[in-house]
Amino acid sequence: MKIIQYVSVGIFMLTVNYNAMAQKNLVTNGGFEDELSGWVDYSAKVTPYVFSTGKMSSALFSHDPLKWTGMHQIVSLPKSTQYILMTARIKADGVSVGKEDWNGALFLFEMLDKADVKIGNGINIASVTGDQDWKLYERAYVIPPGVAKIKLLFALGYVSGTMFIDDVSLKVISQADYEKYL
């Protein structure tokens, strides 16, 4: 009888541990509370004056609509990842309209293999222009075989203006959770 109890407790602990791991944010410093630690930035700054939660956010500024201004982070996925959920809060101030319909304050991602080689095209989650107060953007996605990493990108894509970013998250989710976003 004790063996059955120990096995039951062990299975329960593994299930709880898996569910906790599955909901862990894989992004380093997604709230920018530790400045830009974990991010590769080309011109990003942090600000304690405009933020969604916590005490800081990141900001991208551009006065030149002929330039791409951005930052990124490459996130390694656990083995056997099938579904992910990416989220971020974005605020836009005076973001101009570009020549292409995808130009704007951008939240996008690319899929990478183990050697950081891009697989397929980048996928746009948000493209914001004009003025917008903080808004949560989220996208659930199926991970194809061979994808080992996700490159999260935030940019002012050939536009001028200011983009604020906060609460960036990438989580492994279950198929049932994925289906909630369909």
Side-chain angles (χ1 to χ4, degrees):
M1 186 66 172
K2 285 210 179 253
I3 292 175
I4 293 173
Q5 287 176 331
Y6 287 128
V7 170
S8 297
V9 168
I11 290 171
F12 174 76
M13 293 304 288
L14 286 173
T15 303
V16 168
N17 190 28
Y18 172 76
N19 287 335
M21 182 186 76
Q23 296 300 316
K24 179 182 183 260
N25 185 2
L26 301 176
V27 173
T28 300
N29 190 30
F32 303 98
E33 301 302 311
D34 192 20
E35 305 276 326
L36 292 170
S37 175
W39 294 91
V40 176
D41 67 283
Y42 308 115
S43 61
K45 306 287 184 212
V46 292
T47 176
Y49 304 111
V50 179
F51 53 85
S52 177
T53 62
K55 297 179 182 176
M56 304 276 255
S57 74
S58 179
L60 295 170
F61 309 95
S62 177
H63 300 290
D64 186 353
L66 301 177
K67 288 175 57 181
W68 176 277
T69 304
M71 65 181 194
H72 74 268
Q73 184 174 137
I74 296 176
V75 178
S76 295
L77 298 175
K79 288 183 181 182
S80 304
T81 297
Q82 295 180 321
Y83 306 94
I84 59 172
L85 175 64
M86 294 166 286
T87 63
R89 292 189 188 277
I90 296 173
K91 176 178 172 34
D93 285 340
V95 176
S96 64
V97 176
K99 292 180 183 179
E100 304 293 331
D101 62 352
W102 57 266
N103 295 143
L106 306 173
F107 172 22
L108 58 144
F109 73 100
E110 296 174 346
M111 295 176 286
L112 309 173
D113 67 12
K114 289 180 185 178
D116 290 345
V117 174
K118 186 175 164 183
I119 298 172
N121 295 322
I123 298 170
N124 199 0
I125 297 172
S127 179
V128 180
T129 58
D131 296 318
Q132 174 185 282
D133 201 3
W134 288 106
K135 181 177 176 183
L136 176 66
Y137 289 91
E138 56 189 359
R139 172 111 185 237
Y141 200 78
V142 176
I143 299 301
V147 173
K149 302 173 186 178
I150 296 292
K151 182 177 184 179
L152 291 170
L153 298 117
F154 294 92
L156 288 168
Y158 305 109
V159 293
S160 60
T162 305
M163 174 187 195
F164 297 95
I165 305 113
D166 206 353
D167 303 325
V168 181
S169 175
L170 187 155
K171 296 179 180 179
V172 175
I173 59 173
S174 66
Q175 181 177 359
D177 287 338
Y178 170 76
E179 289 173 357
K180 293 176 187 175
Y181 291 92
L182 296 179

